[in-house]
Amino acid sequence: MESRIRELVTPIAEELGVEVLRVRLGGGHRTRLVQIFVDRRGGVDSETLERISRGVSLQLDAEDLIPGAYRLEVSSPGFDWPLEAPEDFARYDGDWLKVDMAEGGAVEGYNRGLEGETILLEDAEGQVLRVDRREAARVVRAINWKEVTRSKR
């Protein structure tokens, strides 16, 4: 059913210039929960999320795809959304990333994309760091606090 919901939301999202990242169906016996995550470079505003929600709701009701009551949540991912696919790295090109290493510790830097299985990060001094994706436990967007505190001075 998640793939069918994705088929319904994709044309609506594309018309509004956003990408569907994930569709998840959950919930209990009486009320199902439909979660749809969308994003685009620069983020998604609340008006776009609302338009997607209205369009998907109309489609779901017209198709009578979900028996009984359901709750629909349409949102964009937060900073803790993991970057996994090459498209994720392309979407957030230039953003500050935090790479939690499988063996412990973390490295941070500006996302400069992927080269095969290697994550390219540029640190605050302009040095390019190369991190093997297989050694990374998790990659997320983060805030470069040094840059934020420097700009406040």
Side-chain angles (χ1 to χ4, degrees), residues 132-145:
D132 189 322
R133 285 177 69 181
R134 295 167 291 219
E135 295 176 9
R138 183 177 168 140
V139 182
V140 294
R141 291 182 295 154
I143 296 172
N144 181 351
W145 290 109

Side-chain angles (χ1 to χ4, degrees), residues 39-131:
D39 205 7
R40 69 173 158 221
R41 180 86 182 129
V44 181
D45 60 36
S46 60
E47 180 182 329
T48 301
L49 294 173
E50 183 180 330
R51 290 177 66 189
I52 292 169
S53 181
R54 279 196 310 260
V56 171
S57 181
L58 289 171
Q59 290 283 352
L60 289 173
D61 292 347
E63 299 249 344
D64 200 23
L65 194 60
I66 302 171
Y70 67 90
R71 191 173 83 234
L72 177 63
E73 293 179 1
V74 179
S75 62
S76 60
F79 274 100
D80 60 344
W81 187 269
L83 279 69
E84 297 169 344
E87 298 83 28
D88 297 330
F89 287 88
R91 183 181 318 104
Y92 302 118
D93 183 48
D95 287 6
W96 189 259
L97 301 182
K98 177 181 178 188
V99 180
D100 292 321
M101 304 304 291
E103 297 294 323
V107 294
E108 295 188 21
Y110 293 103
N111 174 19
R112 297 301 180 225
L114 295 174
E115 275 184 3
E117 289 298 313
T118 302
I119 302 167
L120 303 177
L121 297 175
E122 182 181 332
D123 67 16
E125 287 77 40
Q127 299 295 311
V128 175
L129 310 172
R130 303 173 71 80
V131 180

Side-chain angles (χ1 to χ4, degrees), residues 12-59:
I12 298 166
E14 286 176 350
E15 182 177 319
L16 296 170
V18 299
E19 179 182 352
V20 179
L21 301 181
R22 182 179 297 157
V23 174
R24 183 180 294 154
L25 183 62
H29 294 97
R30 291 184 215 179
T31 303
R32 302 296 305 261
L33 172 62
V34 179
Q35 292 178 308
I36 300 170
F37 293 92
V38 297
D39 205 7
R40 69 173 158 221
R41 180 86 182 129
V44 181
D45 60 36
S46 60
E47 180 182 329
T48 301
L49 294 173
E50 183 180 330
R51 290 177 66 189
I52 292 169
S53 181
R54 279 196 310 260
V56 171
S57 181
L58 289 171
Q59 290 283 352

